Amino acid sequence: MAAEGGGKEMNEIKTQFTTREGVYKLLTHSEYSRPNRVPFNSQGSNPVKVSFVNVNDQSGNGDRICFNVGRELYFYIYKGVRKAADLSKPIDKRIYKGTQPTCHDFNHLTATAESVSLLVGFSAGQVQLIDPIKKETSKLFNEESWERQWIFTLNKINQVNNQLIDKSRVTCVKWVPGSESLFLVSHASGNMYLYNVEHTCGTTAPHYQLLKQGENYSVHTCKSKSTRNPLLKWTVGEGALNEFAFSPDGKFLACVSQDGFLRVFNFDAVELHGTMKSYFGGLLCVCWSPDGKYIVAGGEDDLVTVWSFLDCRVIARGHGHKSWVSVVAFDHYTTSVEESDPMEFSGSDEDFQDQMIHFGRDRANSTQSRLSKRNSTDSRPVSVTYRFGSVGQDTQLCLWDLTEDILFPHLPLSRTRTHTNVMNATSPPAGATIITNTSSNTTNGNNSGANTPGINSLSTTLPRSNSLPHSAGSGVGIGSGIMDSAIATGVSKFATLSLHDRKERHHEKDHKRNHSMGHISSKSSDKLNLLTKTKTDPAKTLGTLLCPRMEDVPLLEPLICKKIAHERLTVLIFLEDCLVTACQEGFICTWARPGKVVSSF
């Protein structure tokens, strides 16, 4: 294993690291990049991104990988830990002129060995729908008369900048979970748009009418005689909307913006569920836990912040990066759940260690099922440990464990908890005092009655997720809406539903604590610019539920923190037998999990 001393050794690129599961090893022969393997000059280029899809190939090698490097987009068979990468034979390669790919996403519902649907967002604002297996381009969105504006010659595309809907860079694009035709796109303008691949974008710029409006967000429908794209336009926060992520069940949407706010919406009801403010700077990345109970965000404050969906509050922060955090992701395969007796203290340390983790034994959906036991009415307690990771512009990979000591600090200590380097409420860091009691008039900003996304049967009567008190009758937020129908079939109703048919829900809010703009009726006007954007003073949010002080919440230390690249890291994806990282030089690396390296490799 690479040395972990100080000085020069600290700057060495690590090729393996050890956790309690064992040794993770970098597979140098499984590195994907441009065919010439020359480091890409990343100055002024968009981040390298990676997307995976499984096409259920009968050969047993159905994994496919897509990644962008500069103006180029590649599509390969992904061999992972099984065989070395063959870069000489891409299934598809595309070179774009005048614009660059910024993000992409596969539709996993429709993927077959003969066809896949891949959405690609671009720096000039367009979104392209392509099939890299058939090497076809079917549609282009956010472009006037794309047949005339784009010239397709083999793998090269010349582009004319004439966007009708949004001219700013695409920051994130994702298919709506459970839908074969709906997808969501966010832009650097701070807007999000909902599209349907079956509809056109029209030949003129769209006109909008207000559907719903709230604190620093508004949603508009496209005003048209016939259904056209975009179906919905969201305006969220101030500055760029950097990333969004759907909850595991697809019902909620978490968005992070350059204004430093995490905003969580009920996607179908188009209502705000809760918010969180970064310690400082913009938030750049976001992800959900496998059971949808926790959200992790990272950004320009160099921290990872854990937010409870049920309690709508920050429950922990993690400090390990030395620069901006660019990606956060949960490891579905290492997150562990097991039944235990919290009063039993017999057994050796070795026995205790053996009980701590079920590594790689269950697929992600099995993990989600097991997580639901945490809230079951069974009398036997269930111990849970969430694993997540982060990468940043400091070229470092950090792995973190979120244990019950942090999630439920008031519960009796369970014998099956893992030993992690966690500074929590019972063991405060040097120079910090963890607040366990505050004045009784502290106002809570949670929505404790909301359902947890991902597990419909989860109870909402869990113990609170950190040591700060909660007022019993709090009900702030707009999370009381009930879905009218599934998103795959119900979105089209927004285009025809009259405003007076949509019942407005009023909730009392503590304006001092949460700096609410108050309720704004959706009947007030049709104009786009009705939304009052009030800049939130960071000095006023610091120390509130929106942004607790560092000493007010548990502080996590990373399990490992390793320098693994020469350039800033832009990708972290957890797969069953490996984890995948990528850096801005255009190298996509595969790290085999313990015991997962094929002997013939």
Side-chain angles (χ1 to χ4, degrees), residues 13-83:
I13 304 298
K14 306 299 190 252
T15 58
Q16 62 184 37
F17 57 85
T18 303
T19 66
R20 64 174 177 272
E21 305 93 54
V23 180
Y24 288 72
K25 294 182 179 181
L26 175 65
L27 304 181
T28 55
H29 296 292
S30 286
E31 183 179 85
Y32 287 79
S33 67
R34 297 187 299 171
N36 59 15
R37 295 188 182 272
V38 175
F40 176 68
N41 183 3
S42 60
Q43 187 173 3
S45 297
N46 291 285
V48 173
K49 298 291 185 180
V50 174
S51 297
F52 284 99
V53 68
N54 189 288
V55 298
N56 298 316
D57 192 345
Q58 293 182 352
S59 66
N61 190 16
D63 291 330
R64 303 291 183 264
I65 183 174
C66 174
F67 59 91
N68 60 288
V69 181
R71 299 184 296 114
E72 303 166 10
L73 187 73
Y74 293 93
F75 183 67
Y76 281 97
I77 295 176
Y78 180 70
K79 300 179 181 180
V81 302
R82 297 179 296 276
K83 293 182 179 180

Side-chain angles (χ1 to χ4, degrees), residues 261 277-278 515 536-548:
F261 276 88
K277 176 70 170 63
S278 68
H515 307 287
T536 305
D537 186 352
K540 294 182 179 179
T541 59
L542 183 61
T544 68
L545 291 178
L546 281 177
C547 181

Side-chain angles (χ1 to χ4, degrees), residues 161-462:
N161 188 8
N162 194 15
Q163 292 72 46
L164 286 174
I165 298 171
D166 199 307
K167 299 181 185 295
S168 65
R169 173 176 53 91
V170 175
T171 57
C172 188
V173 58
K174 292 184 185 295
W175 292 95
V176 174
S179 174
E180 297 183 359
S181 58
L182 296 174
F183 65 92
L184 193 63
V185 182
S186 63
H187 288 259
S189 62
N191 296 324
M192 284 191 305
Y193 302 90
L194 181 67
Y195 290 87
N196 188 324
V197 296
E198 304 298 331
H199 300 326
T200 64
C201 291
T203 57
T204 60
H207 296 278
Y208 299 101
Q209 65 181 14
L210 187 65
L211 172 67
K212 188 163 293 188
Q213 189 167 344
E215 182 179 351
N216 272 326
Y217 83 95
S218 63
V219 184
H220 294 78
T221 60
C222 192
K223 193 175 182 180
S224 175
K225 292 182 179 179
S226 59
T227 304
R228 59 162 287 183
N229 285 319
L231 301 178
L232 293 179
K233 174 187 177 182
W234 297 62
T235 300
V236 180
E238 298 177 5
L241 201 164
N242 291 320
E243 191 176 46
F244 62 84
F246 284 98
S247 61
D249 63 0
K251 295 180 181 179
F252 291 86
L253 183 72
C255 306
V256 288
S257 301
Q258 196 58 38
D259 62 6
F261 276 88
L262 162 72
R263 295 176 176 88
V264 181
F265 295 94
N266 184 317
F267 184 62
D268 298 322
V270 197
E271 292 180 342
L272 184 65
H273 169 77
T275 61
M276 181 270 288
K277 176 70 170 63
S278 68
Y279 202 69
F280 62 84
L283 287 176
L284 305 177
C285 50
V286 64
C287 66
W288 291 79
S289 64
D291 56 358
K293 291 168 58 178
Y294 302 99
I295 296 173
V296 172
E300 296 174 356
D301 54 10
D302 304 352
L303 302 170
V304 293
T305 302
V306 185
W307 190 80
S308 169
F309 176 86
L310 286 175
D311 297 335
C312 290
R313 62 195 294 124
V314 175
I315 63 169
R317 290 192 180 102
H319 184 230
H321 287 283
K322 300 174 183 177
S323 187
W324 296 357
V325 179
S326 52
V327 181
V328 288
F330 273 88
D331 185 353
H332 292 46
Y333 305 97
T334 308
T335 293
S336 68
V337 180
E338 55 185 288
E339 295 178 353
S340 62
D341 184 354
M343 299 307 294
E344 182 180 352
F345 291 93
S346 62
S348 65
D349 288 341
E350 289 78 9
D351 295 335
F352 168 66
Q353 198 74 12
D354 290 341
Q355 296 176 1
M356 290 195 302
I357 194 72
H358 293 289
F359 170 69
R361 297 178 183 175
D362 297 288
R363 300 289 297 187
N365 56 353
S366 177
T367 299
Q368 181 173 325
S369 175
R370 290 159 61 233
L371 283 169
S372 66
K373 294 180 181 180
R374 189 64 186 83
N375 297 324
S376 67
T377 56
D378 194 336
S379 59
R380 293 195 65 185
V382 177
S383 177
V384 58
T385 299
Y386 296 87
R387 167 70 58 80
F388 67 93
S390 59
V391 295
Q393 295 193 10
D394 57 358
T395 70
Q396 293 194 118
L397 163 69
C398 293
L399 295 181
W400 315 79
D401 268 0
L402 188 60
T403 63
E404 285 193 335
D405 302 78
I406 299 297
L407 302 177
F408 311 106
H410 296 309
L411 293 182
L413 290 177
S414 170
R415 188 66 179 93
T416 59
R417 291 207 184 107
T418 59
H419 294 298
T420 60
N421 293 326
V422 175
M423 297 180 181
N424 54 43
T426 61
S427 179
T433 302
I434 302 301
I435 296 179
T436 56
N437 290 287
T438 58
S439 58
S440 59
N441 61 352
T442 300
T443 303
N444 178 8
N446 71 332
N447 185 356
S448 58
N451 292 327
T452 302
I455 306 291
N456 293 332
S457 61
L458 293 185
S459 168
T460 60
T461 58
L462 285 177

Side-chain angles (χ1 to χ4, degrees), residues 3-16:
E4 298 180 26
K8 181 180 177 181
E9 294 174 345
M10 292 295 291
N11 294 321
E12 292 181 357
I13 304 298
K14 306 299 190 252
T15 58
Q16 62 184 37

